[in-house]
Amino acid sequence: MHTMLELLKPTRPIETVEAEDRERRRLSARQLRAELRERERQERAIMEIAWSRLC
């Protein structure tokens, strides 16, 4: 019975699935760039502290 219901369940069009995958990758890339920017900002802040202690 359960497998019969799965067979009757409507499926999403392949275009919708591909669009969702593209959107997910785009968001992942955006998040990765944001994380890299934040890491670089933190590294610059640490270096500024180190330089300020030397002066």
Side-chain angles (χ1 to χ4, degrees):
M1 179 74 177
H2 182 65
T3 51
M4 187 174 217
L5 290 176
E6 285 183 9
L7 292 173
L8 294 175
K9 182 173 60 172
T11 58
R12 295 182 294 170
I14 197 73
E15 296 84 18
T16 304
V17 173
E18 290 174 352
E20 290 171 353
D21 287 344
R22 278 195 305 275
E23 181 70 11
R24 191 175 307 114
R25 280 194 302 271
R26 186 178 67 78
L27 292 174
S28 295
R30 181 185 296 165
Q31 182 178 2
L32 179 61
R33 286 191 304 271
E35 290 172 1
L36 289 173
R37 279 193 306 272
E38 178 61 21
R39 185 178 302 145
E40 290 171 357
R41 186 194 65 75
Q42 290 173 354
E43 290 173 358
R44 280 194 306 273
I46 290 170
M47 290 302 294
E48 287 176 11
I49 291 170
W51 277 107
S52 69
R53 289 183 180 171
L54 291 173
C55 296

